[in-house]
Amino acid sequence: MISFEVNRRADGAIEAFTMSGHADSGPYGYDIVCAGASAVSFGAVNAIAELAGIYLETDMQDEGGYLHCRVPEISDHDTEEKVQWLLEGMIVSMKSIEANYRQFLRMESN
């Protein structure tokens, strides 16, 4: 099962997220839950870099199954807002995957 955990600051802003585990919803190369969750999370990281010019602090395991991203300090309010909107969009997409494939992906928020 994939565990997707979101950590929020006291003001509600997303400060980090972690995705770990394997969905095992199908054979390697045909696991649509894994592919969807990976596309959503990596797509958000790449969109933040491309559209906001912010590079999240990332930690990944070479064999897959683990991604941790932390939002760095952002001094510009407009840029911080863009980053948060992109991250919230990622959360909406992950919730959609969870709603349809709850046995393979679980979300947690602190």
Side-chain angles (χ1 to χ4, degrees), residues 9 11 13-16 44-45 47-49 51-57 69-87:
R9 299 186 312 227
D11 66 359
I14 297 169
E15 67 179 351
V45 170
I48 290 167
L51 301 174
I54 299 295
Y55 294 88
L56 301 183
E57 300 166 10
C69 295
R70 178 169 296 286
V71 179
E73 281 290 321
I74 302 171
S75 58
D76 181 65
H77 174 73
D78 290 339
T79 302
E80 169 74 13
E81 189 172 61
K82 285 179 190 176
V83 169
Q84 289 299 315
W85 273 101
L86 290 165
L87 289 170

Side-chain angles (χ1 to χ4, degrees), residues 6 21 39 42 45 47 57 62 70 82 84 86 89 93 98 104 109:
V6 178
F42 284 101
V45 170
E57 300 166 10
D62 291 334
R70 178 169 296 286
K82 285 179 190 176
Q84 289 299 315
L86 290 165
S93 295
E98 180 189 38
F104 303 112
S109 187

Side-chain angles (χ1 to χ4, degrees), residues 4-43:
F4 192 89
E5 183 178 337
V6 178
N7 300 98
R8 294 182 182 269
R9 299 186 312 227
D11 66 359
I14 297 169
E15 67 179 351
F17 69 89
T18 304
M19 184 170 69
S20 62
H22 295 281
D24 295 322
S25 70
Y28 181 79
Y30 296 91
D31 188 334
I32 63 170
V33 177
C34 178
S38 295
V40 167
S41 59
F42 284 101

